[in-house]
Amino acid sequence: MKRKAIALYSGGLDSTLAILLVLKQNIEVTAITFLTDFGCDASDTSSCSRNPAPAAAQFGFSLKLCHLGEKFTEIVKSPRFGHGKNMNPCIDCRILMLREAGELMQITGADFIITGEVLGQRPMSQRKDTLNIIDRESGLKGHIVRPLSAKLLPTTTPEKLGIIHREQLLGLNGRSRKPQITLAHEFGLTDYPNPAGGCLLTDPIYSRRLRDLLHTVRDPNPEDLALLRIGRHFRLSDNCRIIVGRNEGENDMIARVRKPEDVLISTCTVAGPIVLLRGSDAGMFIDFGASLCARYSDARGFPDVEVKILKNTEEKVLSAVPTPDHIIERHILR
């Protein structure tokens, strides 16, 4: 009977190589790519995000997508093992993904799980002590193989049983990617992403916006979280956030997600942003939103700019003075 493995697969270089090392031992691999509401999907360029389909097709392994949904949102809000430097719950994230992969392992009758982790590559989640915690808390201790660093880690159950051969695995350590690049050429893997700093939750600007949102909205929906990724954000009160589009694509998205109770502001005769005011206090800050619309328009050097206000189903036009830079600095979230 052919042996089977489940792989945690981001589509990045390390996770791809981990799969190829296992495929080389004539083991069938099913890769699982996790999606979240925080930007970890195939449309992003962060290290947790890469279109996984091309490599799966090229090298002949199966691929499944799994959206973590509210399970992931809850650990972002309150991770048992804490956040990293920003809002990244790296240890809890890994535990959750492995638990989900463990369920798939049971359903499919797979023998073990593989990951692309490299010992010492990431300061929070890829230390020996942290890997031990992850293995224990996931309930999969002994069944997680890390092919890129296996020779530096304790022997796993599938190695002891002869399902996978340790001598054909690697002993990589640290942040250098030279060994991985060399191995990629040997496998014929040419399309892989450059190294990145991590997912959106490691980004300080995104994290500040997220903390601000969670301070005022305990249970944000996917749309609330998606808006954190675009525009310039301003906080005027606990009950009013302003988002200013930076380009045509962001303007279109802001216009699409407008709720009936939101206030939408746009320029009348010159190119400019679409400005969204959201929250129960939105009506109190229309003048400020209008001035931001003027400030980020093509007429920012004019003494005043005509803007259109859409509130509920009512429209009105007013002249707005562009916001001074020192006022912007006081309220912008960055």
Side-chain angles (χ1 to χ4, degrees):
M1 183 178 65
K2 192 169 186 178
R3 297 296 190 170
K4 301 177 183 179
I6 304 297
L8 269 60
Y9 187 48
S10 68
L13 177 58
D14 291 343
S15 60
T16 305
L17 291 175
I19 290 173
L20 296 183
L21 285 167
V22 173
L23 287 173
K24 191 177 179 180
Q25 298 199 35
N26 197 33
I27 294 171
E28 181 182 319
V29 175
T30 297
I32 180 168
T33 296
F34 292 101
L35 311 178
T36 79
D37 291 324
F38 296 88
C40 293
D41 59 54
S43 67
D44 287 319
T45 57
S46 61
S47 67
C48 71
S49 314
R50 174 75 172 183
N51 185 354
Q58 180 183 355
F59 295 105
F61 56 88
S62 301
L63 176 67
K64 294 183 179 294
L65 303 180
C66 175
H67 201 292
L68 294 173
E70 292 183 5
K71 293 179 183 178
F72 191 76
T73 302
E74 288 303 312
I75 69 167
V76 170
K77 291 193 290 188
S78 182
R80 178 182 172 190
F81 294 97
H83 292 106
K85 186 176 180 181
N86 293 293
M87 286 293 285
N88 46 308
C90 296
I91 297 174
D92 294 80
C93 171
R94 210 64 178 174
I95 292 167
L96 174 61
M97 289 181 177
L98 284 166
R99 285 175 177 170
E100 296 291 314
E103 291 184 12
L104 183 60
M105 182 178 73
Q106 294 294 327
I107 292 170
T108 61
D111 299 285
F112 61 97
I113 292 172
I114 59 178
T115 83
E117 291 162 305
V118 174
L119 190 64
Q121 188 176 82
R122 296 205 179 274
M124 184 175 183
S125 61
Q126 295 182 17
R127 305 190 313 262
K128 273 190 177 181
D129 59 332
T130 305
L131 294 179
N132 287 333
I133 292 171
I134 291 170
D135 289 1
R136 183 188 71 235
E137 294 298 324
S138 66
L140 294 165
K141 191 172 183 64
H143 294 279
I144 302 171
V145 177
R146 298 176 172 91
L148 297 180
S149 293
K151 289 181 178 178
L152 302 178
L153 298 170
T155 305
T156 59
T157 300
E159 293 173 83
K160 293 175 182 177
L161 295 175
I163 296 171
I164 189 167
H165 302 293
R166 188 177 179 86
E167 64 271 14
Q168 296 182 42
L169 305 179
L170 305 181
L172 302 186
N173 182 42
R175 302 185 63 122
S176 173
R177 301 231 317 169
K178 291 181 180 179
Q180 289 98 311
I181 291 171
T182 299
L183 186 61
H185 288 305
E186 292 175 4
F187 277 118
L189 174 63
T190 57
D191 183 19
Y192 53 84
N194 292 321
C199 73
L200 275 176
L201 293 167
T202 66
D203 181 83
I205 295 175
Y206 182 88
S207 293
R208 184 178 178 191
R209 292 177 178 183
L210 178 57
R211 287 192 196 97
D212 174 80
L213 177 67
L214 293 175
H215 176 71
T216 55
V217 181
R218 177 59 190 169
D219 295 308
N221 58 40
E223 179 189 284
D224 293 326
L225 298 172
L227 280 173
L228 297 179
R229 302 166 64 184
I230 68 168
R232 300 176 177 91
H233 289 238
F234 298 81
R235 171 62 66 188
L236 277 300
S237 75
D238 282 349
N239 298 306
C240 182
R241 172 191 289 260
I242 298 180
I243 303 170
V244 181
R246 294 174 295 191
N247 53 51
E248 185 177 358
E250 292 186 349
N251 284 347
D252 289 343
M253 181 176 178
I254 290 170
R256 285 198 306 270
V257 302
R258 180 203 174 229
K259 299 176 181 178
E261 63 271 21
D262 293 337
V263 177
L264 209 65
I265 305 175
S266 57
T267 50
C268 293
T269 58
V270 297
I274 286 182
V275 178
L276 178 76
L277 282 72
R278 175 165 289 179
S280 58
D281 288 351
M284 298 172 55
F285 297 101
I286 289 175
D287 287 345
F288 187 83
S291 69
L292 285 175
C293 188
R295 165 61 179 80
Y296 289 107
S297 75
D298 285 356
R300 65 179 62 89
F302 291 16
D304 56 70
V305 181
E306 274 198 343
V307 298
K308 180 175 66 177
I309 313 297
L310 176 60
K311 182 181 180 184
N312 297 321
T313 58
E314 298 179 3
E315 288 188 10
K316 68 177 181 179
V317 174
L318 57 82
S319 291
V321 177
T323 313
D325 287 349
H326 72 278
I327 300 296
I328 286 176
E329 290 301 320
R330 187 182 304 167
H331 296 286
I332 196 168
L333 294 173
R334 62 168 165 224

